[in-house]
Amino acid sequence: KIITSNLILKDSRSRYYCYFINNTGKKNRVYRLEGKYSEAPVKSDVTYTEKNWYGALYYDLRPYGKGNDNYWVLLGIDFGNPSITRKIIDVVSFTPEGGIIFGRKLFGSGNMAKFREVLEYSSEAVVSLKFVSDKSIVFDHLVPLSPALKENREFYGPDFSYDAYNLEKGIWIYKSDVDIRNRKK
């Protein structure tokens, strides 16, 4: 079980709070995490622990794995600063010693694998990120408002097409321009 909240303060010291309640089979173990709002992007090429957690509000999760290799895929949102919002697909697992690890090289695109997917976009935009099944995560395709703003994420938003990660043989494979319309039966 996950309980997340955020505390918005007037200055840039706003905080995220997260409680993980992990049922180990013997008893529940409760983890308390705290993260700060940060203008620095969440990195997709490193793992995080409870000590350096980036901070996010998680709104959906699904369990995966088998035996002792269990993990959960989390969907979250991070209000990094007044100009940029982030949506995050992350993986959380627990070490045998009881620690928390965020991130796992499970997100593939071409020849590259990432620990998590981070969508950065204008805080004025509305972006969808959701599970459509246990094997598919769909999200808005993000583009800059004009080609001149290509590297400036505060001017990115959805273009009314969708991308996805589909679970194939234990790896989440990126697919661009997916059709999410309801299929006729």
Side-chain angles (χ1 to χ4, degrees):
K1 186 181 280 190
I2 300 175
I3 302 166
T4 58
S5 63
N6 63 332
L7 178 63
I8 301 172
L9 302 171
K10 287 183 180 180
D11 59 13
S12 62
R13 297 178 311 156
S14 298
R15 303 253 193 275
Y16 288 106
Y17 298 96
C18 180
Y19 291 91
F20 278 90
I21 303 168
N22 183 20
N23 183 345
T24 62
K26 298 173 186 166
K27 63 178 184 171
N28 288 338
R29 177 146 184 197
V30 178
Y31 302 84
R32 181 185 183 274
L33 286 73
E34 183 177 329
K36 297 178 182 176
Y37 280 28
S38 174
E39 290 194 26
V42 176
K43 296 179 181 179
S44 62
D45 60 347
V46 299
T47 59
Y48 292 94
T49 67
E50 64 266 24
K51 292 179 177 51
N52 66 349
W53 177 59
Y54 48 81
L57 295 173
Y58 297 116
Y59 58 88
D60 204 352
L61 75 144
R62 303 275 171 104
Y64 294 93
K66 294 179 183 175
N68 291 333
D69 190 28
N70 291 326
Y71 62 93
W72 289 262
V73 174
L74 308 171
L75 303 182
I77 188 167
D78 171 21
F79 303 103
N81 65 52
S83 301
I84 292 178
T85 299
R86 300 176 185 105
K87 290 239 175 148
I88 302 165
I89 308 170
D90 207 346
V91 175
V92 67
S93 55
F94 298 90
T95 66
E97 298 79 30
I100 297 177
I101 301 292
F102 289 92
R104 194 182 264 201
K105 273 194 175 178
L106 293 178
F107 299 96
S109 178
N111 294 332
M112 196 174 101
K114 299 189 279 189
F115 287 89
R116 71 191 46 80
E117 179 64 53
V118 181
L119 307 171
E120 289 189 316
Y121 56 92
S122 169
S123 60
E124 295 178 13
V126 176
V127 171
S128 175
L129 170 64
K130 63 183 177 180
F131 287 101
V132 291
S133 72
D134 286 342
K135 294 189 175 199
S136 186
I137 302 169
V138 173
F139 49 94
D140 282 300
H141 180 78
L142 301 174
V143 296
L145 295 174
S146 76
L149 300 169
K150 187 172 183 182
E151 296 303 318
N152 199 340
R153 290 291 176 171
E154 71 182 271
F155 296 106
Y156 272 59
D159 70 351
F160 305 105
S161 67
Y162 298 92
D163 299 331
Y165 275 100
N166 295 319
L167 187 60
E168 299 175 11
K169 298 179 183 176
I171 302 293
W172 291 91
I173 304 296
Y174 174 79
K175 304 283 184 198
S176 66
D177 198 23
V178 296
D179 183 0
I180 63 164
R181 295 178 291 181
N182 290 335
R183 305 241 191 297
K184 292 183 180 179
K185 292 185 178 184

